Amino acid sequence: MDFNALICPVCRAALCPEEGKRSLVCGGIKKHTFDVSRAGHVNLAGGGYDPNSGDPADMVRARIAFLEEGWFLPLAEFIGEKVAERGGVCVDAGCGNGYYSEFAAMNADAVYAFDLSKHAVEYGAKKAKRLNNNCLFAVSSVYRLPLMEESADSVLSVFAPVAEEEFLRVLKKNGRLIIAAAAPDHLHQMKARLYDTVTENGERGDLPKSMALAEKKRVSYVRTLDKNAIAALYNMTPYSRRTSKEAAEALFALEKLDITFSFDVYVYEKKEQI
């Protein structure tokens, strides 16, 4: 499928491939051109983009090492099922390295995957190229998506900010927003090893206010992680930035650890405007 819903991040005119070149060009009064990398991704973040935005390279590498082992597979499969109920065009807003984009692509005609981390987007694009799937990866903020209005059948927001106004703009009538967030007991055992007091995860405060909640499902299970998986999990989370060196070393010394993975998945529908 052609990715024909892209718009220029500068003038908001439609974007299309430039004939004979590895670039996208807009149809605005002043032509804006965006080069497509050898990996297959493109920077559509617009002016003022900070190359250090989003997750840094070390966190992206840890997330890849962890996710590619399938520890979050039940969540990814459930998200894929929800995408399949609408099919069509899916937007992964805050896609990271594209793990969930891949499962969306198995159940949609086309997937637009956006993230501010150039490291994550580059990995996702390279893998999509190897798999020859229907994903397009681009650097972009979820608050200003380079997409036409009402161009998406579903939007994914997996551990990413919920930009409700922007998601409403790009969703078709009766389109769906699928949100995945940490449930109260997610990673409880790891946090108990790192901190004296363990605080449960609260319900996120950016859930949509102008959309109808169609479904809420908890995906929860326990897995036994070995040393490598423990280290990768720790390094891909924000805890790696706010934990003492001593607590981290004690965690890394464990040969194995049972950990609860627990996620709340919300499915919202865009209401008809009266």
Side-chain angles (χ1 to χ4, degrees):
M1 177 177 178
D2 292 332
F3 292 92
N4 52 14
L6 290 173
I7 59 175
C8 175
V10 180
C11 67
R12 313 302 276 176
L15 275 178
C16 61
E18 189 169 18
E19 188 174 354
K21 297 183 179 180
R22 292 178 57 85
S23 57
L24 300 175
V25 61
C26 78
I29 296 174
K30 182 178 179 180
K31 185 173 76 171
H32 300 104
T33 303
F34 305 89
D35 294 334
V36 178
S37 73
R38 290 186 180 276
H41 66 293
V42 60
N43 190 330
L44 297 177
Y49 171 67
D50 181 354
N52 297 314
S53 298
D55 291 338
D58 59 341
M59 187 174 284
V60 171
R61 285 193 296 269
R63 184 167 293 123
I64 292 167
F66 184 82
L67 293 176
E68 294 297 340
E69 291 296 318
W71 297 108
F72 283 7
L73 181 60
L75 173 63
E77 290 179 334
F78 182 71
I79 288 172
E81 291 173 10
K82 295 295 104 181
V83 172
E85 291 175 0
R86 282 294 191 271
V89 174
C90 177
V91 176
D92 192 352
C95 64
N97 55 282
Y99 180 69
Y100 305 100
S101 312
E102 183 180 333
F103 286 83
M106 298 175 190
N107 298 282
D109 295 326
V111 176
Y112 293 90
F114 302 108
D115 199 278
L116 277 176
S117 172
K118 62 180 182 180
H119 309 290
V121 167
E122 181 179 11
Y123 175 85
K126 286 180 177 178
K127 188 171 184 187
K129 198 172 182 179
R130 291 197 306 271
L131 295 175
N132 193 30
N133 66 15
N134 50 349
C135 287
L136 183 146
F137 282 83
V139 175
S140 174
S141 167
V142 301
Y143 293 97
R144 188 173 167 82
L145 295 169
L147 290 173
M148 296 177 182
E149 293 185 5
E150 297 190 357
S151 56
D153 295 278
S154 61
V155 171
L156 300 184
S157 180
V158 184
F159 309 116
V162 176
E164 181 178 3
E165 184 175 345
E166 183 67 345
F167 296 165
L168 284 170
R169 183 185 70 82
V170 302
L171 277 170
K172 296 177 181 178
K173 291 176 178 147
N174 300 315
R176 282 185 166 184
L177 170 60
I178 303 163
I179 300 170
D185 56 343
H186 183 56
L187 307 185
H188 177 86
Q189 299 90 335
M190 187 175 80
K191 290 193 291 185
R193 295 280 181 167
L194 296 174
Y195 308 113
D196 294 333
T197 302
V198 178
T199 303
E200 287 192 338
N201 303 306
E203 185 170 78
R204 57 189 303 162
D206 60 353
L207 293 174
K209 296 179 175 58
S210 301
M211 302 182 74
L213 180 62
E215 181 181 356
K216 181 181 178 182
K217 167 83 171 181
R218 179 160 294 175
V219 179
S220 187
Y221 52 96
V222 177
R223 295 288 185 269
T224 302
L225 275 63
D226 61 16
K227 289 178 74 72
N228 291 336
I230 293 169
L233 174 61
Y234 171 80
N235 286 320
M236 76 179 230
T237 68
Y239 306 130
S240 64
R241 303 292 192 259
R242 54 173 186 252
T243 301
S244 70
K245 181 180 177 182
E246 294 75 18
E249 289 176 346
L251 180 70
F252 296 156
L254 298 174
E255 292 297 327
K256 62 181 180 178
L257 180 65
D258 290 341
I259 293 186
T260 298
F261 298 130
S262 192
F263 316 96
D264 284 332
V265 181
Y266 305 81
V267 181
Y268 284 87
E269 293 186 353
K270 181 177 178 179
K271 300 175 183 176
E272 289 279 5
Q273 297 297 315
I274 300 176

